[in-house]
Amino acid sequence: MDKMRQEKSTFESNVNTCLNAFIVLILTSVISWKILSTNISINELKATDILSIVISLFAIGLSVAFYFKATDTSNDFYDNIYKFTKEVLEILGRIEAGFGERLKHLDEGYSSMSRKIDVLP
């Protein structure tokens, strides 16, 4: 059952990777076609125009990189939280199973001590 789930996950991952690559290819093609089909000569561009284009492309690239890194970090965080919670619950289950009677005796001793302290003025 786990092997089938793993194969399905691998297949979905491959499909997502191919789909993302296809979308990037289409967007790159459309943008390239639009840039090549415009009638702008390099002599008309000023240094400030070129600088603004470079800065805007850098900002777009930076935001895309930030998005992907934040997504990866978030996924790692939730995965680690899940593993930690699972391990803690397993440990607590073993502690309760192994020391249930001992904890019961401690609780009884604490109750009797509490009653003795409550009696004092």
Side-chain angles (χ1 to χ4, degrees), residues 93-111:
R94 281 188 257 138
I95 288 173
E96 186 177 346
F99 301 109
E101 286 297 317
R102 293 180 185 166
L103 292 174
K104 184 178 179 184
H105 292 301
L106 286 173
D107 190 38
E108 290 172 358
Y110 175 74
S111 305

Side-chain angles (χ1 to χ4, degrees), residues 33-68:
W33 176 256
K34 284 300 222 177
I35 289 172
L36 293 175
S37 65
T38 58
N39 293 329
I40 297 177
S41 66
I42 296 178
N43 294 336
E44 295 176 10
L45 290 177
K46 298 177 184 174
T48 56
D49 296 337
I50 294 172
L51 183 63
S52 65
I53 291 171
V54 169
I55 290 174
S56 65
L57 292 176
F58 176 74
I60 291 170
L62 193 63
S63 64
V64 168
F66 178 76
Y67 170 77
F68 285 120

Side-chain angles (χ1 to χ4, degrees), residues 11 27 37 74 77 79 88 97-98 100 108 112-113 115 117 121:
F11 176 73
L27 286 174
S37 65
S74 174
F77 172 76
D79 187 45
V88 167
E108 290 172 358
S112 65
M113 186 174 41
R115 274 185 262 134
I117 291 174

